[in-house]
C-alpha cells in the first residue's frame, strides 16, 4: 500500500478520521475491525487537525512510544494543543521560549513536552512516590475516602453516578496524594476540564481559572518548602528542579488522573450493568474486580490516543513516515485488535488483558498507573459491598471528545 493510500471502505462507518469525536462513539466500533483487517497504520487527511498517521496496532504503538528520539513529544502530544500555544511546526522549546515573557503561559507548559534527555532528568525525582509499593501504602486512606463518599450517596432513588461518586473519587485521591485540601474539589474539577478540553478543536480555556490553578500550586510549594510533609508536593519542593517545571508537575499530576479515572469508573460501571450475568459474578466474588477493571480499561481506553512527531524519515508497519509527520498511537483501536483479543467487541471479564496498553509505553508511560488501578479496584469493591443491586435507568452520556473520555452522566438507582 502506498504511504497515503486511503483505507478501503467496505462498511458503513461513521468515520475513519480519528480527529473527529464521532470516531470514538460505540456506533463506530465496527470501523476498528475494518482498520485491523485492512491496514492498522494509515494516513488521515483530517478534518480537525493537520494530516496524521493513525497507528492502531500494539506492536507499532510500542515502537513509537519506546523511541523518544525518533518520535518526539516536543511538538505536542495531542492533534491540537491550543492552550500550550504550539504552532504546527514549532517545537516545545521554541514555544516555551516565546512564552517566557508571559509567566502564566510559562507555568502552563507541561514538563512532558520536552526532549527525551530533559524529560528523563525532570521525571526521575517524581517517580519514587508513584512506585507500586508506595502507592499500595495508600490503600487504607483511599478506602476511607471512598467509604465517606458512599455515606453521602442517596439509595433507592435515581442519581447521577458521575456526580455522586465516580467524579469525586479521583479528586479526593489525588488531593490525598499531593497533600492538598479536598475542600477545593470543585476547582480541581474545573481546572482539569480546562486542560483536558484544550486538545479539542475550537476550545478556548478559562484563563483566569488556569491562573488560579498555577497560583494554588505556587502557594502549596512555598508552604512545603517551609513545612515539608509526607506528600508529593513536598517531594517536588525538595527536588531541585526549576520552579516552572515543579509547578508544571504539580498541576499535571492534579489533572491527569481526574477525567481519566472518573471516565473509567463511569463508563466501566455502564459496561458492567449492560452485562448482568457478569455483573452478578463480580458482585458475588470481589476477587474478580481486578481483572474486570483490566477489561474495562481495554474497552474504554480513557486516554484514547497520544500523539508524537517524527524527527527523521522512518518506517512504521511498511509505511514511509516523513520527518515532521504527526503520528497518533491509537490505544483505542489497538485494544480492539482481533489478533490479540478474540471477539474484541465483546466485554469479557475472563479475558485478563495486559493493562499496559491503556497507559502508553516508554519513559512517558502514565506516572499514575498504580494510583488509577488501586483506586478503581477499591471503588468497585466498596460500591458493590454497599450496593449489590444497581440499576441502570437511562442512557449514559459521553461527551463528544477525541483525546480523553469524558463521561457526563450515568443514571442509576443504588440499592443496598
Ligand atoms: C485510568 C486512568 C488513567 C489513564 C488511562 C491514564 C493514561 C495516560 C496516558 C495514555 C498517558 C500518556 C503517556 C505518553 O505520553 O505516552 C499518561 C500520562 C500521564 N499520566 Fe496518566 N492515566 C490515568 C491516570 C492517571 C493518574 C491517576 C495520574 C496521577 C495521579 C496520572 C498522571 C499522569 C502523568 C503525570 C502523565 C505524564 C507522564 C509523562 O509524560 O512523563 N494518570 N496517562
Amino acid at each position: 500500500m502506498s504511504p497515503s493510500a486511503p483505507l478501503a471502505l467496505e462498511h458503513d462507518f461513521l468515520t475513519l478520521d480519528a480527529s473527529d469525536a464521532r470516531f470514538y462513539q460505540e456506533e463506530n466500533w465496527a470501523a476498528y475491525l475494518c482498520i485491523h483487517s485492512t491496514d492498522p497504520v494509515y494516513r488521515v487527511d483530517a478534518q480537525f487537525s493537520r494530516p496524521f498517521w493513525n497507528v492502531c496496532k500494539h506492536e507499532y504503538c510500542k515502537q513509537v512510544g519506546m523511541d523518544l528520539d525518533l518520535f518526539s513529544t516536543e511538538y505536542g502530544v495531542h492533534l491540537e494543543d491550543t492552550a500550550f500555544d504550539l504552532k504546527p511546526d514549532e517545537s516545545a522549546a521554541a514555544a516555551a521560549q516565546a512564552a517566557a515573557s508571559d509567566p502564566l503561559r510559562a507555568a502552563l507548559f507541561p514538563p512532558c513536552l520536552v526532549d527525551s534527555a530533559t524529560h528523563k532528568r525532570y521525571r526521575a525525582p517524581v517517580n519514587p512516590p508513584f512506585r507500586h509499593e508506595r502507592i499500595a501504602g495508600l490503600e487504607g486512606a483511599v478506602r476511607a475516602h471512598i467509604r465517606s463518599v458512599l455515606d453521602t450517596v442517596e439509595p433507592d432513588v435515581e442519581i447521577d453516578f458521575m456526580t455522586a461518586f465516580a467524579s469525586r473519587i479521583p479528586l479526593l485521591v489525588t488531593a490525598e496524594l499531593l497533600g492538598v485540601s479536598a475542600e477545593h474539589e470543585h476547582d480541581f474539577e474545573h481546572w482539569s476540564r480546562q486542560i483536558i478540553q484544550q486538545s479539542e478543536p475550537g476550545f478556548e480555556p478559562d484563563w483566569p481559572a488556569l491562573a488560579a490553578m498555577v497560583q494554588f500550586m505556587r502557594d502549596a510549594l512555598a508552604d512545603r518548602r517551609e513545612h515539608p510533609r509526607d506528600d508529593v508536593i513536598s517531594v517536588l519542593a525538595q527536588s531541585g528542579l526549576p520552579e516552572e517545571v515543579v509547578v508544571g508537575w504539580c498541576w499535571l499530576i492534579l489533572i491527569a488522573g481526574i477525567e481519566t479515572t472518573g471516565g473509567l469508573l463511569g463508563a466501566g460501571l455502564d459496561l458492567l450493568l449492560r452485562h448482568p450475568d457478569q455483573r452478578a459474578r463480580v458482585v458475588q466474588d470481589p476477587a474478580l474486580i481486578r481483572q474486570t477493571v483490566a477489561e474495562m480499561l481495554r474497552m474504554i481506553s480513557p486516554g484514547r490516543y497520544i500523539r508524537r512527531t517524527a524527527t527523521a524519515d522512518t518506517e512504521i508497519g511498511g509505511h514511509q513516515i516523513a520527518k515532521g509527520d504527526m503520528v497518533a498511537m491509537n490505544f483505542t483501536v489497538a485494544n480492539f485488535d482481533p489478533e490479540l483479543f478474540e471477539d474484541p467487541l465483546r466485554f469479557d471479564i475472563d479475558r485478563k488483558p495486559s493493562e499496559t496498553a491503556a497507559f502508553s509505553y516508554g519513559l512517558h508511560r502514565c506516572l499514575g498507573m498504580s494510583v488509577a488501578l488501586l483506586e478503581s479496584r477499591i471503588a468497585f469493591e466498596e460500591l458493590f459491598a454497599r450496593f449489590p443491586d444497581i440499576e441502570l435507568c437511562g442512557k449514559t452520556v459521553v461527551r463528544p471528545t477525541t483525546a480523553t473520555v469524558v463521561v457526563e452522566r450515568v443514571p442509576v438507582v443504588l440499592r443496598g
Side-chain angles (χ1 to χ4, degrees):
M1 185 180 260
S2 75
S4 57
L7 211 64
L9 278 175
E10 291 163 12
H11 302 272
D12 197 11
F13 309 129
L14 295 179
T15 180
L16 291 168
D17 177 355
S19 77
D20 180 338
R22 292 178 308 151
F23 183 81
Y24 297 97
Q25 283 175 217
E26 200 164 324
E27 295 78 359
N28 205 39
W29 284 0
Y32 305 167
L33 297 185
C34 172
I35 290 169
H36 283 295
S37 65
T38 313
D39 194 337
V41 180
Y42 65 102
R43 188 180 152 90
V44 184
D45 287 319
Q47 196 180 345
F48 298 101
S49 73
R50 289 186 296 132
F52 66 95
W53 292 92
N54 206 23
V55 175
C56 300
K57 213 170 171 58
H58 277 267
E59 60 177 292
Y60 302 137
C61 291
K62 205 168 186 173
Q63 175 191 340
V64 172
M66 299 301 284
D67 192 339
L68 267 181
D69 292 322
L70 190 51
F71 297 104
S72 172
T73 59
E74 255 210 85
Y75 303 83
V77 292
H78 294 120
L79 296 170
E80 294 268 313
D81 271 302
T82 49
F84 308 129
D85 233 10
L86 290 181
K87 310 280 181 301
D89 297 313
E90 187 178 38
S91 76
Q97 211 170 12
S101 55
D102 178 345
L104 176 59
R105 298 269 175 151
L108 282 175
F109 217 83
C112 54
L113 298 189
V114 287
D115 74 32
S116 63
T118 312
H119 174 262
K120 222 176 194 169
R121 187 160 57 81
Y122 285 176
R123 186 153 157 168
V126 204
N127 282 331
F130 284 92
R131 292 219 171 94
H132 181 71
E133 322 73 71
R134 290 285 289 278
I135 295 303
L138 291 176
E139 169 128 8
V142 169
R143 202 173 284 282
H145 281 301
I146 289 170
R147 285 183 178 163
S148 73
V149 172
L150 285 172
D151 289 343
T152 68
V153 170
E154 197 179 351
D156 304 320
V157 293
E158 182 177 328
I159 55 159
D160 170 23
F161 180 70
M162 295 312 294
T163 323
F165 186 77
S167 297
R168 295 198 60 207
I169 303 307
L171 292 165
L172 298 177
V173 172
T174 316
E176 170 80 33
L177 195 73
L178 282 170
V180 295
S181 166
E183 71 185 25
H184 301 283
E185 66 176 288
H186 293 297
D187 290 329
F188 298 164
E189 192 170 24
H190 183 60
W191 298 341
S192 160
R193 290 249 159 126
Q194 296 312 301
I195 297 282
I196 294 286
Q197 294 273 106
Q198 63 78 31
S199 50
E200 301 304 323
F203 182 76
E204 182 57 31
D206 174 353
W207 291 108
L210 292 177
M213 175 183 80
V214 166
Q215 193 53 48
F216 179 88
M217 292 308 176
R218 287 197 201 286
D219 293 345
L221 279 161
D223 176 71
R224 292 318 185 284
R225 288 204 174 96
E226 291 287 307
H227 313 288
R229 296 194 224 149
D230 181 17
D231 59 35
V232 168
I233 293 193
S234 299
V235 172
L236 280 161
Q238 317 299 320
S239 66
L241 293 173
E243 174 73 10
E244 297 311 327
V245 175
V246 170
V247 172
W249 274 126
C250 288
W251 69 251
L252 188 59
I253 291 165
L254 177 74
I255 65 98
I258 291 178
E259 218 65 75
T260 44
T261 318
L264 176 65
L265 296 178
L269 182 71
D270 172 76
L271 264 177
L272 196 58
L273 296 182
R274 288 193 279 136
H275 296 82
D277 295 352
Q278 298 187 62
R279 187 204 63 163
R281 285 179 57 207
V282 174
V283 170
Q284 206 166 38
D285 181 4
L288 293 173
I289 289 175
R290 200 182 290 263
Q291 70 198 56
T292 301
V293 168
E295 174 67 347
M296 289 171 175
L297 274 166
R298 181 188 75 83
M299 300 254 341
I300 297 163
S301 301
R304 286 171 166 148
Y305 78 85
I306 284 286
R307 192 257 283 196
R308 302 283 191 252
T309 302
T311 57
D313 292 351
T314 184
E315 182 258 310
I316 305 174
H319 294 275
Q320 296 307 309
I321 311 292
K323 178 179 176 179
D325 279 359
M326 299 206 296
V327 174
M329 294 181 277
N330 203 309
F331 309 120
T332 310
V333 187
N335 281 336
F336 284 83
D337 183 350
E339 274 184 21
L340 294 181
F341 310 110
E342 199 192 321
D343 194 1
L345 301 187
R346 185 166 46 90
F347 176 68
D348 178 2
I349 61 170
D350 294 315
R351 195 186 292 275
K352 299 185 187 166
S354 148
E355 285 145 357
T356 52
F359 295 103
S360 191
Y361 300 101
L363 291 171
H364 283 275
R365 194 163 85 144
C366 177
L367 182 67
M369 181 171 112
S370 296
V371 184
L373 293 176
L374 179 89
E375 69 184 290
S376 33
R377 172 178 59 78
I378 300 175
F380 284 121
E381 282 172 7
E382 292 296 327
L383 177 72
F384 297 143
R386 187 87 62 107
F387 299 111
D389 179 7
I390 304 180
E391 181 194 343
L392 189 62
C393 42
K395 203 166 163 32
T396 288
V397 181
V398 179
R399 185 182 284 215
T401 54
T402 55
T404 307
V405 171
V406 178
V407 180
E408 294 197 323
R409 189 173 152 71
V410 184
V412 291
V413 177
L414 307 181
R415 298 190 186 91

